[in-house]
Amino acid sequence: SSELTQDPAVSVALGQTVRITCQGDSLRGYYASWYQQRPGLAPRLVIYGRNNRPSGIPDRISGSISGHTSSLTITGAQAEDEADYYCSSRDTDDDSVLFGGGTKLTVL
Amino acid sequence: HVQLQESGPGLVKPSQTLSLTCTVSGDSISRGGYNWTWIRQHPGKGLEWVGNIYHTGSFHFSPSLQSRLSISMDSSKNQFSLKLTSVTAADTAVYYCAREADLPFFFDSWGPGTLVIVSS
């Protein structure tokens, strides 16, 4: 089956811009959705579809897609953005669900 | 505002069956448009999809778990449940239930999660 690949860790200076990427063949057929997980809490949906945010998600968080790479961009990173971020999509082979390995974002 | 809550034993002995229930409020699990999903997270690790059940009652399981897994729903109680047989320490994880949309694909509501430890 397919897989989604994320960098294990990324850091960003406070107020700067950071991009977190997710690569996988399934992303040619399905948009990725993105989840933020703070320690001890359940994941929270932050981006879905082409570039949609649920209510309550700040507009400094955005999504994009190019080929088989989906990206989550945080423009003007804040301390509260420090978390683990996971991408997810359907597997085009068997319609199961894939998660990326997660990216730990540190805000310096 | 939909809410999900997992419930079940926090400790299961090896070789026994892990059983969890997710109680949904604010939405009907028998209404079309959403699927109902189990996701787990091993301690300190990433997210792993376990399986889901559609509003019609049909289901789809992770290939790695399908031989031990069953998922069912009780529309009268607005609950769906997971049973995982022959558990080992490798099944120790936080188990989340979530609401899944299909097109576009996303999980928009999650339960807080419940830690299940497999140990004698």
Side-chain angles (χ1 to χ4, degrees):
Chain A
S1 65
S2 304
E3 59 180 23
L4 297 176
T5 302
Q6 297 182 242
D7 291 329
V10 171
S11 62
V12 62
L14 186 68
Q16 296 304 300
T17 296
V18 62
R19 176 175 292 181
I20 299 170
T21 61
C22 173
Q23 292 186 321
D25 288 341
S26 65
L27 299 180
R28 294 190 187 277
Y30 289 101
Y31 288 117
S33 49
W34 287 91
Y35 304 87
Q36 177 193 70
Q37 187 179 34
R38 296 182 174 127
L41 297 179
R44 176 174 71 150
L45 176 68
V46 293
I47 289 289
Y48 66 97
R50 179 172 285 276
N51 181 20
N52 301 296
R53 286 182 303 276
S55 62
I57 302 301
D59 60 6
R60 64 175 182 273
I61 296 177
S62 63
S64 60
I65 180 82
S66 177
H68 66 287
T69 300
S70 177
S71 299
L72 179 80
T73 300
I74 303 176
T75 304
Q78 302 299 305
E80 60 263 33
D81 298 327
E82 186 163 288
D84 294 328
Y85 290 85
Y86 295 91
C87 61
S88 181
S89 82
R90 287 219 183 277
D91 186 341
T92 50
D93 289 343
D94 61 7
D95 247 11
S96 61
V97 173
L98 302 171
F99 282 102
T103 297
K104 183 177 183 60
L105 175 66
T106 300
V107 179
L108 304 172
Chain B
H1 174 59
V2 60
Q3 291 185 302
L4 297 91
Q5 179 68 55
E6 305 88 353
S7 59
L11 181 64
V12 181
K13 288 182 167 48
S15 80
Q16 295 192 343
T17 296
L18 182 162
S19 297
L20 295 174
T21 295
C22 182
T23 301
V24 179
S25 59
D27 192 10
S28 168
I29 64 171
S30 56
R31 182 176 70 88
Y34 292 99
N35 308 321
W36 304 93
T37 297
W38 289 99
I39 294 160
R40 70 181 184 179
Q41 186 169 34
H42 296 104
K45 301 298 183 183
L47 301 171
E48 178 187 9
W49 179 70
V50 173
N52 64 14
I53 188 164
Y54 294 74
H55 69 279
T56 56
S58 61
F59 43 76
H60 195 183
F61 298 156
S62 166
S64 65
L65 297 172
Q66 62 183 7
S67 64
R68 301 190 289 129
L69 182 65
S70 64
I71 297 178
S72 60
M73 62 194 302
D74 185 337
S75 298
S76 68
K77 296 181 179 179
N78 218 34
Q79 296 175 333
F80 62 105
S81 298
L82 168 153
K83 289 189 189 299
L84 186 65
T85 62
S86 305
V87 296
T88 69
D91 295 308
T92 292
V94 174
Y95 286 76
Y96 297 100
C97 57
R99 187 175 76 167
E100 172 191 325
D102 223 356
L103 288 171
F105 166 76
F106 56 82
F107 301 107
D108 66 342
S109 298
W110 297 65
T114 187
L115 174 62
V116 179
I117 297 172
V118 178
S119 174
S120 56

